[in-house]
Amino acid sequence: MELKLVQAPFETVEADALIAVAPEGSAQAPAAGLEDVDRACGGWIAEIHATGEFRGKAYDAAVLHRPAGIAARRLIVAGAGKTANAAEIRRAVGAAIRAAKRIGAAKLAVVVPEGGAAVAQAVAEGVVLGDWDSDRYKTGNDRHPIESCAILASGDVAAAIERGRIVAESQNFARDLQNEPPNVLGPLALAERARAMAAEQGLECEILDQDQMRQLGMGSLLAVAQGSVQPPALIVLRYKPAGGGAGDHLGLVGKGVTFDTGGISIKPSDNMDKMKYDMSGAAAMIGAMRAIAQLKPAIAVTAFAPTVENMPGGKAQRPGDIVTSLSGKTVEVLNTDAEGRMILNDAITYAKRLGCTHLVDAATLTGAIVVALGHHYTGVFSNNGAFQDKFLASAARQGEKMWPMPLDDEFKDQIKTPFADVANVGGRAGGSITAALFLREFAEDTPWIHLDIAGTASYDDGRPFAAKGAAGVAVRSLVDLALNW
Ligand code: BES
Ligand code: MN
Ligand code: ZN
């Protein structure tokens, strides 16, 4: 899709549909902000508001054909709800784009509401994210991609729109990786996708193979990989700012399980297909690096994506196995389905050895986080309050819902075992907390944030502003964190 900034009066812009964002009004009157559009189309917005057909409720959309006084063939008014901040405007625009796609409108224009650069960026992101669909493998001709979208804004917002395009396209890149079926995207295929992206974007890329990992002593990661005929990989992507950066070095660690059967502790078959999304943490980090390569923050950033397939093959690890991780700590494998923390701990240790001063990991780690926070909030854990606050501010700016979870030593007894330094599971109670505590044992004193994205990595039913399928969660927040370091 072609995205362009156009500085012209909205009435004069030719398009299949012109999109305008409406905050939610009261029963008495529409909210302020759309008076000009309402006047141009002869009071239609005030009229549907008065009848109660459309009052700007979040993600509602109303369509007017052949609006007199407007050059576009249709006017789509997109509800942004009572909040109507940048985050809700992003979603409202996304919902309007999806409505436009459904009716086959291909050439669009969007009126950017008041609010400066942050709102202009959110509009650009809403357009690109709303256009994305899960239809890569559909062979029919019922696809309706948006051809072009004019962003109608005044003021100095060109850079913000370009930033929004880059970040949203990178989020969509992550979504495409997530959506790939597990027969197509195994560990080596994921590594090749990362390598190709790095070559395109000018990032350094190194892919550690099984032998290199064996030599380093990544016994925990390799234990998970041994049940599959597909060899594992550790993807490393490096971004260095001009001049080398001022000391801090951000490490992004993403869980890349291309399919999680559970291994010998095998999962029930219901919904097992969703376990293709178990590489969403890796996809988020690779997607974030794609944007970082183009937006060039001042801090050095390296992504680490350990990638494996968790299968119950004849060589698979067993419950009861004890393995030695790269850190030297031993892990008793009480459940082979708790494989994410086993591949992440070696990647976290490796990231520290390569000089990362701050770490963020993202992982579809536990079903327990879905019980705790549902499908709307990502769970955030950290060993450093100031770092966590900084990240939560990025998430809030980017409209990604995230919620801080406790990391309390009192839970530590649950992952104690007489047989090794740590057990890989800690029982049902507080399952996402004991998983995070397990990872903290390896992050140690390095400022570290863990994102449990098991509930937010994909939309099982789609949303008005997003297709059913991959969500690309965390990309925008991670890029924001690096840019605002
Ligand atoms: N990949 C799963 C977590 C998951 C569950 C992601 C549901 C998305 C949706 C993870 O590897 C896993 O299996 N975790 C176990 C841990 C348990 C064995 C301690 C879980 O949550 O059941
Ligand atoms: Mn698992
Ligand atoms: Zn998993």
Side-chain angles (χ1 to χ4, degrees):
M1 185 216 337
E2 189 201 351
L3 199 70
K4 53 185 186 258
L5 171 62
V6 173
Q7 297 190 314
F10 67 86
E11 299 93 320
T12 65
V13 175
E14 307 257 357
D16 294 333
L18 174 75
I19 296 167
V21 179
E24 186 167 341
S26 66
Q28 284 73 40
L34 274 185
E35 295 83 357
D36 290 353
V37 180
D38 193 38
R39 204 171 303 120
C41 65
W44 174 69
I45 297 172
E47 195 175 315
I48 56 174
H49 186 276
T51 61
E53 285 162 70
F54 174 89
R55 285 191 174 148
K57 210 169 132 266
Y59 326 136
D60 273 3
V63 185
L64 176 65
H65 281 249
R66 297 268 171 223
I70 293 177
R73 289 177 54 198
R74 302 178 186 85
L75 173 64
I76 301 180
V77 187
K82 288 214 163 65
T83 316
N85 57 10
E88 289 302 310
I89 289 170
R90 183 186 292 103
R91 288 179 164 199
V93 169
I97 292 286
R98 299 197 64 70
K101 284 184 81 154
R102 279 194 297 273
I103 58 179
K107 293 194 177 71
L108 306 180
V110 191
V111 185
V112 174
E114 299 278 296
V119 166
Q121 177 170 346
V123 167
E125 289 168 357
V127 171
V128 175
L129 296 172
D131 184 37
W132 183 88
D133 262 306
S134 290
D135 55 7
R136 170 169 286 197
Y137 287 91
K138 284 202 179 285
T139 58
N141 51 9
D142 54 350
R143 303 169 71 171
H144 301 294
I146 305 295
E147 275 171 38
S148 65
C149 186
I151 310 269
L152 310 181
S154 54
D156 190 12
V157 294
I161 288 168
E162 180 62 0
R163 199 157 54 236
R165 181 185 67 78
I166 290 168
V167 173
E169 284 178 359
S170 296
Q171 182 173 341
N172 286 348
F173 180 83
R175 296 165 100 182
D176 282 333
L177 289 177
Q178 287 181 272
N179 258 9
E180 285 294 354
N183 59 327
V184 169
L185 198 90
L188 296 189
L190 178 61
E192 281 319 310
R193 296 285 183 99
R195 197 201 292 281
M197 182 280 286
E200 221 166 83
Q201 305 294 342
L203 292 168
E204 252 178 62
C205 173
E206 190 182 345
I207 292 162
L208 277 65
D209 65 17
Q210 191 155 19
D211 288 340
Q212 290 167 296
M213 290 190 271
R214 214 173 269 139
Q215 272 157 24
L216 283 163
M218 295 185 171
S220 185
L221 189 163
L222 291 170
V224 178
Q226 74 194 34
S228 170
V229 295
Q230 302 202 54
L234 176 57
I235 303 163
V236 183
L237 300 171
R238 288 195 186 82
Y239 162 78
K240 291 199 189 87
D248 282 347
H249 181 173
L250 178 61
L252 305 178
V253 181
K255 172 179 174 181
V257 177
T258 59
F259 194 70
D260 182 11
T261 64
I264 296 300
S265 314
I266 198 162
K267 287 184 181 295
S269 53
D270 267 9
N271 284 319
M272 204 201 269
D273 58 295
K274 299 279 169 10
M275 286 301 125
K276 73 172 183 177
Y277 294 127
D278 216 20
M279 37 61 74
S280 297
M285 297 323 188
I286 296 166
M289 291 305 287
R290 183 185 178 280
I292 284 169
Q294 296 176 62
L295 296 174
K296 305 198 189 312
I299 184 179
V301 188
T302 306
F304 301 85
T307 175
V308 301
E309 187 183 47
N310 189 21
M311 296 286 273
K315 293 184 180 164
Q317 63 174 341
R318 297 142 288 251
D321 282 4
I322 295 176
V323 301
T324 303
S325 66
L326 178 63
S327 70
K329 289 194 167 94
T330 54
V331 178
E332 186 183 19
V333 185
L334 291 178
N335 188 319
T336 66
D337 199 9
E339 84 296 342
R341 63 198 82 178
M342 293 186 67
I343 69 169
L344 289 167
N345 77 59
D346 277 343
I348 285 171
T349 304
Y350 189 64
K352 290 197 318 190
R353 287 205 186 159
L354 260 59
C356 291
T357 59
H358 295 73
L359 295 172
V360 184
D361 80 67
T364 45
L365 203 63
T366 66
I369 200 69
V370 189
V371 177
L373 298 178
H375 292 289
H376 298 290
Y377 277 84
T378 292
V380 182
F381 302 81
S382 180
N383 60 1
N384 184 305
F387 188 30
Q388 171 169 288
D389 288 347
K390 193 185 175 91
F391 181 78
L392 287 172
S394 287
R397 268 198 297 274
Q398 295 308 319
E400 293 197 297
K401 293 184 179 176
M402 307 223 179
W403 204 258
M405 297 284 290
L407 250 191
D408 189 307
D409 281 335
E410 215 168 350
F411 290 86
K412 251 176 90 170
D413 284 348
Q414 290 176 235
I415 50 171
K416 286 208 171 110
T417 161
F419 302 109
D421 295 335
V422 63
N424 82 328
V425 293
R428 269 176 55 80
S432 55
I433 300 171
T434 51
L437 269 176
F438 178 98
L439 296 178
R440 193 189 65 178
E441 293 302 302
F442 298 86
E444 297 179 299
D445 295 332
T446 304
W448 153 85
I449 292 165
H450 159 58
L451 306 177
D452 195 333
I453 57 171
T456 49
S458 63
Y459 299 109
D460 290 349
D461 301 311
R463 303 290 305 275
F465 49 84
K468 183 171 168 152
V473 75
V475 170
R476 294 201 310 275
S477 301
L478 292 164
V479 174
D480 186 288
L481 178 72
L483 288 175
N484 292 290
W485 197 261

